[in-house]
Amino acid sequence: MSTRRKSIVAGNWKMNLDAAKARSLTEAVAARAAEAGSVDLVLCPPALYATTVAAALGLAAGGSPSGVALGGQNAHDKESGAFTGEVAPGMLRDIGSRYCILGHSERRTLFGETDSVVNAKVKAVLAAGLTPIVCVGESLAERESGRTEAVVTEQVLGSLAGIPADDLATIVVAYEPVWAIGTGKVATPQQAQDVHALVRALLARLSSPTVADTIRIQYGGSVKPDNAAELAACPDIDGALVGGASLKADDFLAIAKAFG
Ligand code: 13P
């Protein structure tokens, strides 16, 4: 965590919960958001429950009384049209979202999203006035064969190609080693810091060192209350993208507090 950048902790609920649980979890996080201190908090529910979460956050009335923001988990790269089952960036914006996760490894591996697909989505989400949270990360086989740097480099440069420096300055990047997602195997702080420093150097190459210095880079992959503090202590780790532990208000807020 750097004093120059405000930390951002986001909960990726993935395809979990029902409407009642989505509402009660949102209410619990919103009521206790102040416990996290000076951290941007974001909830990313399944698309179907986004309006439920927006209402529970008071976004429907405009503003954000609790200070907790709403985010999507994915978006299409077109504004509208014949794309059955998809959600447009403008729709997320319309219901009060401020963020959208893009290029999550589950989207890349299970739904065939390439860097060029992710790149088109990043541009569309920026055009809709949302902040993309762009995910990158290597698989276990890629790490074990010494390809982490090459894989992450290709993902960052491909997913963020052609984004003007002004826009780059507003995005969030999430480094999520695939082998750490949902496995309980968290990257060591040194492993995470090394890749975060690489990502920041790549962002500098795409913009400038000054711009790269302002961009927030989250770590994701088995972040829990008991490992958040050591990750938060790393100079280039500016928050967390939390899966499983974001489904419990206590755990999510404890993680946020570690970054506060
Ligand atoms: P877990 O925290 O469940 O490992 O998930 C991480 C993740 O994929 C967040 O996007």
Side-chain angles (χ1 to χ4, degrees), residues 64-80:
S64 176
S66 65
V68 180
L70 176 63
Q73 296 180 8
N74 176 38
H76 198 269
D77 65 322
K78 299 291 186 301
E79 285 177 32
S80 64

Side-chain angles (χ1 to χ4, degrees), residues 12 14 101 104 106 176 180-183 220-224 241-245:
N12 176 7
K14 307 193 180 183
I101 297 169
H104 189 279
E106 287 146 22
E176 298 203 308
I181 295 177
T183 58
S222 296
V223 180
K224 308 282 181 228
L241 183 54
V242 188

Side-chain angles (χ1 to χ4, degrees), residues 123-162:
K123 289 172 178 162
V125 158
L126 283 165
L130 296 167
T131 297
I133 298 175
V134 184
C135 303
V136 298
E138 81 289 358
S139 67
L140 184 60
E142 288 163 344
R143 175 161 283 268
E144 287 179 342
S145 58
R147 297 190 53 234
T148 299
E149 192 171 328
V151 168
V152 171
T153 299
E154 193 178 328
Q155 288 176 340
V156 170
L157 298 182
S159 303
L160 300 177

Side-chain angles (χ1 to χ4, degrees), residues 1 189 223-234 254-255 257-259:
M1 181 174 52
V223 180
K224 308 282 181 228
D226 64 3
N227 58 32
E230 57 183 16
L231 292 162
C234 297
I255 291 166
K257 209 170 167 180
F259 284 91

